[in-house]
Amino acid sequence: MSGTHADDAQLARWDPGIIKRLLSVARPFEKLWFRSEVQGLERLPSSGALLVSNHSGGYLPMDVPVFAAHFYEAFGYDRPLYTLTHDLLSNGPLAEIVARMGFIRASRSTAARALRSGGLVIVFPGGDYDCYRPTTARNIIDFAGRSGYVRSAVEAGVPIVPMVSIGGQENQLYLSRGAWLAKRLGLKQRFRAELLPLSFGFPFGFAVLPVNLPLPTKLLTRVLEPIDVVAEFGDDPDVAAVDAHIRTVMQEALDELAAERRFPVLG
């Protein structure tokens, strides 16, 4: 199957029916346990756009379920919401259900097809590195130097919509990403894993893997103003400059959310 046909086949597996059923189960948990809130949904363009976000929550990142629940509640189930994901998830034992939920392979060709189709595509440039950041760095935007998302948006001719989330990195105490431990145990060669996070939480206390239950931390996501990269940076933009600008905009917004937050977990 050619790359184009394979990409189209991935997108065609998006199943609003199963998403609706799954969210009906997850929504009470999100709203009661995490008291989730999404601000700025009205800023989303009516055409294709790349949503760029920080990633939080360790082994149980709720960024996508929370955003999806509020997005579909506000706009219905007619417009696809896709999320770029790692090959381990898209090719794993849950590949079929994951694909039907809108998770697609994190490749530029797949992203381009989804964006040009008019869909909204979520990307977490920082990936696991961001998701397992220590609690002391919970309110820091860090993409680990990854900026390929900029080129994806430019090639597809769509705006970048930054959004920031707060609270996810408070669901337990994250001590270290554990890169040194993963390297010593050879996890990269065996499982393509470069991190083995160390945490402290309930009910197991210290954990090499973050297997503790998530605390009922309040999760808040804010959608920021769309950025037309070509209009602001030209037809052949400096990717590093665009990335720096977007991270600055996101950091300022995350600082605002942090200043408004009275207490960790409680919000």
Side-chain angles (χ1 to χ4, degrees), residues 3-267:
T4 297
H5 290 157
D7 293 338
D8 288 341
Q10 273 198 81
L11 303 185
R13 292 157 80 184
W14 176 76
D15 185 344
I18 196 169
I19 293 171
K20 187 174 183 178
R21 290 194 294 273
L22 289 173
L23 288 181
S24 68
V25 175
R27 191 171 281 113
F29 178 67
E30 293 164 2
K31 291 193 172 182
L32 297 176
W33 188 258
F34 291 117
R35 294 158 289 142
S36 65
E37 181 181 354
V38 177
Q39 303 172 346
L41 284 171
E42 70 280 358
R43 298 189 177 107
L44 294 174
S46 58
S47 56
L50 185 64
L51 312 185
V52 178
S53 179
N54 60 323
H55 200 21
S56 303
Y59 82 110
L60 188 65
M62 295 298 295
D63 310 282
V64 174
V66 163
F67 184 80
H70 288 266
F71 171 81
Y72 287 117
E73 187 174 53
F75 300 110
Y77 293 83
D78 296 326
R79 185 183 186 189
L81 177 67
Y82 299 109
T83 304
L84 298 182
T85 190
H86 195 282
D87 284 348
L88 288 177
L89 186 59
S90 59
N91 294 328
L94 300 178
E96 180 60 29
I97 186 70
V98 163
R100 293 173 70 184
M101 291 168 61
F103 290 86
I104 58 177
R105 187 167 54 90
S107 72
R108 283 169 64 173
S109 64
T110 308
R113 298 291 291 183
L115 292 167
R116 289 171 181 154
S117 73
L120 294 173
V121 178
I122 302 174
V123 61
F124 302 101
D128 289 346
Y129 182 84
D130 194 17
C131 197
Y132 289 118
R133 67 191 181 279
T135 300
T136 53
R138 63 187 179 277
N139 297 325
I140 295 177
I141 301 295
D142 188 350
F143 292 166
R146 300 164 188 159
S147 58
Y149 68 93
V150 175
R151 187 60 62 191
S152 294
V154 172
E155 291 176 353
V158 301
I160 289 175
V161 181
M163 60 184 190
V164 293
S165 298
I166 196 169
Q169 222 61 9
E170 298 170 6
N171 68 17
Q172 58 189 286
L173 182 63
Y174 292 94
L175 305 171
S176 168
R177 293 184 176 95
W180 57 273
L181 183 57
K183 183 177 180 179
R184 172 164 291 189
L185 295 176
L187 297 187
K188 183 175 182 178
Q189 293 79 9
R190 298 177 185 175
F191 306 107
R192 298 175 61 190
E194 298 184 11
L195 306 175
L196 189 58
L198 308 176
S199 67
F200 182 87
F202 177 84
F204 303 113
F206 285 106
V208 175
L209 287 172
V211 294
N212 288 300
L213 296 176
L215 295 175
T217 179
K218 179 174 175 57
L219 301 181
L220 172 61
T221 298
R222 179 174 292 173
V223 180
L224 309 180
E225 292 292 341
I227 297 173
D228 186 328
V229 176
V230 172
E232 294 192 32
F233 294 88
D235 293 330
D236 186 20
D238 182 333
V239 171
V242 177
D243 171 61
H245 172 69
I246 289 172
R247 285 186 289 106
T248 297
V249 168
M250 293 177 65
Q251 188 62 65
E252 291 173 352
L254 190 56
D255 288 343
E256 289 181 6
L257 292 184
E260 296 168 3
R261 201 169 179 85
R262 292 167 295 176
F263 301 102
V265 180
L266 299 179

